[in-house]
Amino acid sequence: MPTATRRLAVGPGKGASGWDAGVVPFPVFRRTHRTRAMRRAALGAVLALPLGGIARAAWGLPVALGAHPRQLRPTVAGSPHFADGRFHNTVPTPVLPPASARAGLLRQIHEGRHVGLPGRPIPLARPDLPAEAADLAVTWFGHSSALLEIDGARVLVDPVWGERVSPSPVFGPQRLHPAPVPFSTLPQVDAVLISHDHYDHLDLPTVRAIVREQDAPFVVPLGIGVHLRFWGVPEDRIIELDWDQEAKVAGLTLTCTEARHFSGRFFARNTTLWASWVIAGPRHRTFFGGDTGYTPAFAGIGARLGPFDLTLLPIGAYNEAWRAMHMDPEEAVRAHGDLGGRVLLPVHWATFNLAFHRWAEPIQRLCAAAERSDVRLVVPLPGQRVDLLAPPPVQDWWTAVGSAVDDADPTADPHEVTPRS
């Protein structure tokens, strides 16, 4: 059975992390006439649903939410990063945007939900996965889900095959493209890494598929193992780690490293830990950022555990209001440099509409920033496998997809914008 050992101790950090625990971290605003009107409209929409629709929307909610905070406390309370009933970032991380920005964000929430839709269908690739894992390769499935091949072992990171990143089968962000391959077609993997417990990174239907079809252990930050046990994952398939602890699995060293984010699957926030991951084999090293804001901790991770043959870093779902929790593309390039990365693969974009930027904007900005900093990129299609010992040149496949609003009538209602056929 895999074992975990502590490497370093990091003192408890100060700072606040209290965003809404939904998929997109919208802040809580003071009551205004407009917010009251929006709440009444939302309530009216729910009440207008047929009884069967309400039942379907609520089906499975208690289970999908995961373990109760009381169940989490015995596992997480001993962490040096846990204080006053929650986990903390080690650098100040604002809970709310400045008051001057709140009106603009509220307007975005109300009017800009459809800005992030693609203009045309997103092309997919069907990966040709070898029987034996390669020395260094990666298959990106969209958003933050990827299959890493490192020194003959396979690691699946933040796998999400569900149709919605939500506890409800009816409400919440829906896929912008299908999963490139059925989950059942994946080869056996050696480990499943989870970065944190948000629905777009920890998906209950996918967890159930892993338990049913794979034998690998889940390697997770503190507290997420309690969710997994609540969902019936066997105890001997769960390894929970704090920052700077490591586990040995299939010849790899998996180190739980710091990230700057937040956690929560309902109203209780920051009751489980969030993390990035270092996956190190005898010859190659990869860094998986999961979901994070920019943090000076990246330089320390690079110095202690790098350099890295590959970094997978988030570039999408950014907004000025929550910039502390989500990196923008330029910050991803900076983090890649801090980490000592050789090749950067962008994640956390393309698959779900989680912010208010145009669909293609993150990758366009990333390519420009990477060119300025002489950073080598790989930008596969969802489903495409890339051999990182001979990485291919970047081929622009996203411009043909475009963004739904690019050719829209500027006088049209933004709620009426739909993807072009």
Side-chain angles (χ1 to χ4, degrees):
M1 178 178 170
T3 58
T5 57
R6 177 174 293 277
R7 288 183 50 130
L8 298 170
V10 179
K14 300 299 181 183
S17 180
W19 292 92
D20 190 313
V23 177
V24 180
F26 295 142
V28 178
F29 295 95
R30 293 191 180 94
R31 286 182 179 271
T32 66
H33 292 299
R34 189 165 188 176
T35 56
R36 284 194 292 268
M38 290 173 66
R39 289 169 181 165
R40 285 196 297 269
L43 178 60
V46 171
L47 295 177
L49 285 172
L51 187 58
I54 295 174
R56 182 165 176 260
W59 181 260
L61 274 176
V63 175
L65 295 176
H68 190 276
R70 286 194 300 271
Q71 296 171 285
L72 294 164
R73 185 61 69 92
T75 298
V76 303
S79 170
H81 311 292
F82 188 85
D84 302 321
R86 59 179 181 158
F87 284 97
H88 297 262
N89 288 294
T90 59
V91 292
T93 303
V95 176
L96 293 174
S100 60
R102 295 180 195 175
L105 181 59
L106 182 60
R107 185 168 57 253
Q108 284 184 305
I109 294 170
H110 182 61
E111 299 175 353
R113 299 177 184 178
H114 297 273
V115 170
L117 296 176
R120 294 184 178 87
I122 298 167
L124 307 178
R126 180 93 179 191
D128 183 13
L129 298 173
E132 301 294 330
D135 284 341
L136 189 63
V138 61
T139 305
W140 181 54
F141 297 108
H143 201 56
S144 298
S145 303
L147 179 62
L148 302 172
E149 301 171 50
I150 302 178
D151 294 337
R154 286 190 170 101
V155 178
L156 189 61
V157 298
D158 280 2
V160 173
W161 260 252
E163 184 62 23
R164 291 184 185 273
V165 285
S166 164
S168 167
V170 175
F171 296 116
Q174 191 171 14
R175 282 185 167 273
L176 302 177
H177 64 77
V181 295
F183 187 84
S184 59
T185 65
L186 294 186
Q188 288 293 305
V189 304
D190 295 288
V192 178
L193 288 186
I194 304 295
S195 63
H196 64 299
D197 70 2
H198 286 159
Y199 296 104
D200 56 325
H201 298 260
L202 179 64
D203 176 54
L204 176 54
T206 307
V207 168
R208 287 172 168 163
I210 293 168
V211 172
R212 185 173 61 248
E213 300 177 23
Q214 296 276 341
D215 298 321
F218 290 82
V219 187
V220 301
L222 280 180
I224 292 180
V226 186
H227 288 320
L228 297 178
R229 295 181 192 96
F230 180 75
W231 293 330
V233 177
E235 177 69 35
D236 63 359
R237 291 187 61 180
I238 300 170
I239 303 171
E240 289 183 271
L241 303 177
D242 204 341
W243 289 344
D244 299 308
Q245 289 182 331
E246 66 178 26
K248 305 284 188 179
V249 179
L252 302 177
T253 300
L254 310 177
T255 306
C256 182
T257 46
E258 184 174 343
R260 187 184 185 191
H261 201 54
F262 71 113
S263 68
R265 293 177 73 82
F266 201 51
F267 292 123
R269 306 184 188 116
N270 301 335
T271 53
T272 63
L273 187 61
W274 48 94
S276 57
W277 289 94
V278 170
I279 307 100
R283 297 179 300 280
H284 298 100
R285 292 173 176 265
T286 295
F287 179 84
F288 173 58
D291 198 358
T292 179
Y294 179 80
T295 169
F298 291 140
I301 293 168
R304 294 195 318 272
L305 302 172
F308 298 101
D309 299 285
L310 172 70
T311 67
L312 295 89
L313 293 171
I315 67 165
Y318 48 82
N319 186 280
E320 185 62 30
W322 55 81
R323 66 174 295 112
M325 273 79 168
H326 281 176
M327 287 196 294
D328 61 31
E330 293 79 14
E331 288 172 322
V333 168
R334 180 182 177 190
H336 177 78
D338 290 349
L339 291 159
R342 181 174 68 88
V343 178
L344 190 163
L345 188 153
V347 298
H348 207 267
W349 77 285
T351 304
F352 298 105
N353 181 17
L354 304 180
F356 311 114
H357 52 65
R358 284 169 165 78
W359 178 83
E361 181 183 305
I363 191 61
Q364 291 167 341
R365 286 176 56 176
L366 179 72
C367 287
E371 184 175 6
R372 290 193 298 269
S373 298
D374 196 25
V375 167
R376 184 159 195 179
L377 301 178
V378 289
V379 189
L381 294 163
Q384 183 178 352
R385 180 178 180 270
V386 176
D387 179 355
L388 291 160
L389 295 183
V394 173
Q395 294 187 344
D396 179 354
W397 55 266
W398 51 87
T399 296
V401 178
S403 302
V405 297
D406 289 346
D407 294 338
D409 180 351
T411 65
D413 183 341
H415 295 81
E416 305 265 331
V417 173
T418 56
R420 296 168 297 205
S421 59

